[in-house]
Amino acid sequence: MNRLTNNNKKILQLLNSKNKENVELGYQLCKGAAKGYDEEVALVLRKDLFKCLIFGLETRYLDSLRTIHLTGVSSKQLEAAIPAIALLHNLYELDLSFNNLFTLPRNIGKLRNIKKLSLMEVGLMVLPKEIGKMTQLRQLDLHGNNLQTLPPDMVYLEKLHKIDLSNNNFQHLPHLLLGLKNIRSINLRENFLTSITTFALAKSGTRNLKILDLSGNSIDKLPSGIANLGNLRKLYLGDNDLQELPTKLPANLEVLSLGKTPKLSYRYIPRYMTHLHNLKVLELDANSITKIPEKIGVLKTLVALDLSNNQLMTLSKEIKQLEVLILLDLSSNNLSTLASEIKYLKCLKYLNLQNNKLSKVSHEIGNLVELERLDLQENQLKKLPSQIKNLKKLKVLRLDNNPLAESSIRKIKKLLPHCKVTTSLSGKPNKLFHKQDFTDDISI
């Protein structure tokens, strides 16, 4: 017993050493230990899953894992570990992100049971054709690499339903993706796309596509064929060079993002959207809009509207028709008053008026009885109406960077005893809420 205890102490000293050769020796001793080692040693071993795989240690523990994240691994080391990884039949996800792989070993195709492969920011310029042998793949994350093309053998990934190709070097939409029968989500954000052909959007594989992210490219025109994506629920087109939209968009859209597309004429936005009877989220931020598009009231199902970072001076009367609106972001505009029409938005929970020119807030604010978060940072407010006391559900009120007198602040806090009120006169403003929360909650 003492001999085993002494052996464990020696192994622990080696494993915890800062000398790499000593650590390596510790793993070798564990591999050759005839009587094994104790749980304390096992816990230290598990901190380096790669070495466990290479030395064949902690196999029972490894076989119980659903996810393995390997760090500090090169392509050559990965190649040596793949045979052991291939034996882990319970493994769902292999995460190799943030390693300096640069290339994937060809024996990657042996991992035929993996369903999710994460390869974020590993320096890839090409994918080996053998990736097409990973036929059980459901999700493939290739964010932040240097890819320009995909190998034709990826057509065999028939179970793939989500792929992230954002922040790569694609100049053309990879046509083979749209031939995959079960593809549901394609992310091509922040690439170098300039156009999308009608042919690419007409492929049969797109019948199941529900999320398409093309934001952050240089696309100047969408093909009319995009309307054929009948099951598309979320379409992200922000930060592009679009000058017009097709007459028809996919009829079942629930999220449409058009932020940072200032070349688009927003006078005609409602014309493109009258048939979008399921639209819940509309993003029109950072587009130099001076007036809320007329007939925006036709979008009866909207729950989130982002008009931040524009040049609005007033609210359109049409906004009162958005009766189920929950989130309204009007931050960073030129609003000097809050129109009385705001009182009709009785479902509002989140209202952002940060960084405007508001010198007063209409007493109609008291009608927004469902309001939970109200952001009035960076305005010119000296007081708030007493009707603010009606906001019984208000949890957070931001009044930072306003010329409020101490007496006004005390009155506000007294009227809202259960609300967190912030009133600092300087400092960086904080974002009170994020529209991403809404888009993530919308089921696909």
Side-chain angles (χ1 to χ4, degrees):
M1 185 70 175
N2 287 334
R3 185 177 178 183
L4 179 60
T5 302
N6 290 333
N7 192 43
N8 282 325
K9 287 182 178 179
K10 181 180 179 181
I11 290 173
L12 281 172
Q13 285 178 343
L14 291 169
L15 292 176
N16 290 317
S17 172
K18 294 182 180 180
N19 186 301
K20 291 183 179 180
E21 292 180 357
N22 287 342
V23 174
E24 196 86 2
L25 180 58
Y27 276 87
Q28 289 175 359
L29 286 175
C30 288
K31 178 67 175 176
K35 294 185 178 181
Y37 46 80
D38 64 15
E39 184 64 19
E40 188 178 0
V41 171
L43 291 173
V44 176
L45 291 173
R46 292 171 191 174
K47 292 180 180 179
D48 193 331
L49 296 180
F50 171 73
K51 283 189 171 65
C52 288
L53 289 163
I54 293 297
F55 286 97
L57 297 169
E58 294 302 299
T59 52
R60 184 176 295 180
Y61 170 74
L62 288 170
D63 199 45
S64 70
L65 296 178
R66 294 275 290 164
T67 300
I68 286 182
H69 182 195
L70 298 181
T71 58
V73 179
S74 68
S75 182
K76 188 174 182 179
Q77 290 172 321
L78 176 61
E79 185 176 12
I82 280 177
I85 298 172
L87 297 175
L88 305 178
H89 299 297
N90 291 315
L91 193 63
Y92 180 92
E93 177 184 2
L94 176 61
D95 190 346
L96 300 168
S97 301
F98 311 111
N99 287 295
N100 294 321
L101 295 178
F102 301 110
T103 60
L104 286 182
R106 290 187 174 182
N107 65 346
I108 193 82
K110 291 183 178 180
L111 304 180
R112 299 187 182 183
N113 293 315
I114 302 291
K115 296 176 178 62
K116 182 178 180 180
L117 179 61
S118 298
L119 292 162
M120 292 188 290
E121 298 187 31
V122 296
L124 293 176
M125 296 187 70
V126 294
L127 286 177
K129 66 177 184 178
E130 286 77 11
I131 201 166
K133 295 179 180 178
M134 300 180 69
T135 53
Q136 297 302 310
L137 269 186
R138 267 71 164 174
Q139 299 180 49
L140 179 57
D141 192 340
L142 293 162
H143 164 87
N145 285 286
N146 300 302
L147 298 170
Q148 297 185 50
T149 60
L150 298 176
D153 294 62
M154 280 185 64
V155 296
Y156 300 118
L157 303 181
E158 294 187 354
K159 294 185 178 180
L160 192 68
H161 67 249
K162 182 177 182 180
I163 187 166
D164 189 341
L165 297 168
S166 59
N167 289 89
N168 276 279
N169 296 326
F170 288 94
Q171 297 181 33
H172 306 285
L173 184 72
H175 293 177
L176 68 88
L177 291 179
L178 300 169
L180 296 175
K181 296 178 181 178
N182 290 295
I183 198 71
R184 296 180 184 179
S185 174
I186 298 174
N187 187 350
L188 279 159
R189 178 189 293 261
E190 301 291 340
N191 275 277
F192 297 91
L193 303 176
T194 56
S195 65
I196 306 170
T197 66
T198 304
F199 168 76
L201 292 169
K203 283 211 169 186
S204 59
T206 57
R207 66 168 62 96
N208 292 312
L209 192 62
K210 294 189 176 182
I211 303 176
L212 180 58
D213 192 340
L214 299 170
S215 55
N217 283 282
S218 301
I219 299 169
D220 57 7
K221 187 177 181 180
L222 291 179
S224 58
I226 200 166
N228 296 330
L229 304 179
N231 281 314
L232 200 66
R233 297 293 188 273
K234 301 180 182 181
L235 179 58
Y236 299 92
L237 298 169
D239 198 8
N240 272 290
D241 296 329
L242 291 170
Q243 298 184 36
E244 61 179 348
L245 295 175
T247 307
K248 285 193 175 182
L249 293 169
N252 291 309
L253 276 184
E254 295 180 11
V255 176
L256 178 58
S257 175
L258 290 167
K260 295 183 181 178
T261 54
K263 294 181 181 179
L264 203 57
S265 177
Y266 288 91
R267 290 176 55 198
Y268 305 108
I269 285 290
R271 180 197 302 173
Y272 305 130
M273 301 182 187
T274 52
H275 63 290
L276 301 181
H277 302 300
N278 299 312
L279 196 65
K280 296 180 180 179
V281 178
L282 177 59
E283 298 176 3
L284 296 173
D285 53 296
N287 283 309
S288 302
I289 297 174
T290 57
K291 185 179 179 182
I292 293 178
E294 292 182 8
K295 299 184 180 178
I296 199 169
V298 301
L299 303 175
K300 301 290 185 183
T301 55
L302 270 192
V303 296
L305 175 60
D306 185 355
L307 286 162
S308 62
N309 292 284
N310 281 293
Q311 297 173 18
L312 296 173
M313 299 182 70
T314 59
L315 291 184
S316 164
K317 292 182 179 180
E318 292 247 350
I319 203 166
K320 68 181 182 181
Q321 297 179 39
L322 305 179
E323 296 177 354
V324 298
L325 204 63
I326 294 174
L327 181 151
L328 178 58
D329 193 341
L330 295 166
S331 60
S332 298
N333 276 282
N334 295 318
L335 297 172
S336 56
T337 58
L338 191 58
S340 61
E341 280 74 22
I342 198 77
K343 67 183 178 183
Y344 295 102
L345 306 182
K346 294 186 177 180
C347 291
L348 266 190
K349 291 185 178 181
Y350 307 92
L351 177 58
N352 192 349
L353 291 161
Q354 175 185 327
N355 190 24
N356 275 278
K357 297 179 180 179
L358 296 174
S359 57
K360 66 177 182 177
V361 174
S362 170
H363 65 84
E364 276 90 358
I365 194 80
N367 290 61
L368 307 182
V369 293
E370 296 297 319
L371 210 58
E372 295 180 7
R373 294 175 181 265
L374 175 58
D375 195 335
L376 292 167
Q377 296 177 90
E378 295 186 287
N379 279 285
Q380 298 167 18
L381 298 170
K382 294 182 179 180
K383 63 179 181 178
L384 291 182
S386 59
Q387 286 80 3
I388 196 123
K389 67 182 179 182
N390 297 334
L391 307 182
K392 306 293 186 184
K393 295 184 179 181
L394 198 63
K395 297 175 182 177
V396 181
L397 171 60
R398 289 264 168 84
L399 294 168
D400 309 69
N401 297 307
N402 277 284
L404 288 157
E406 281 296 325
S407 57
S408 294
I409 294 172
R410 287 196 297 270
K411 181 181 178 182
I412 292 166
K413 289 182 176 180
K414 188 174 181 180
L415 292 172
L416 299 168
H418 303 296
C419 177
K420 179 182 178 182
V421 181
T422 66
T423 58
S424 65
L425 293 175
S426 63
K428 188 176 180 180
N430 297 310
K431 191 75 172 177
L432 187 57
F433 48 77
H434 300 275
K435 57 183 179 292
Q436 187 67 34
D437 297 338
F438 284 82
T439 57
D440 287 345
D441 287 344
I442 294 175
S443 62
I444 59 164

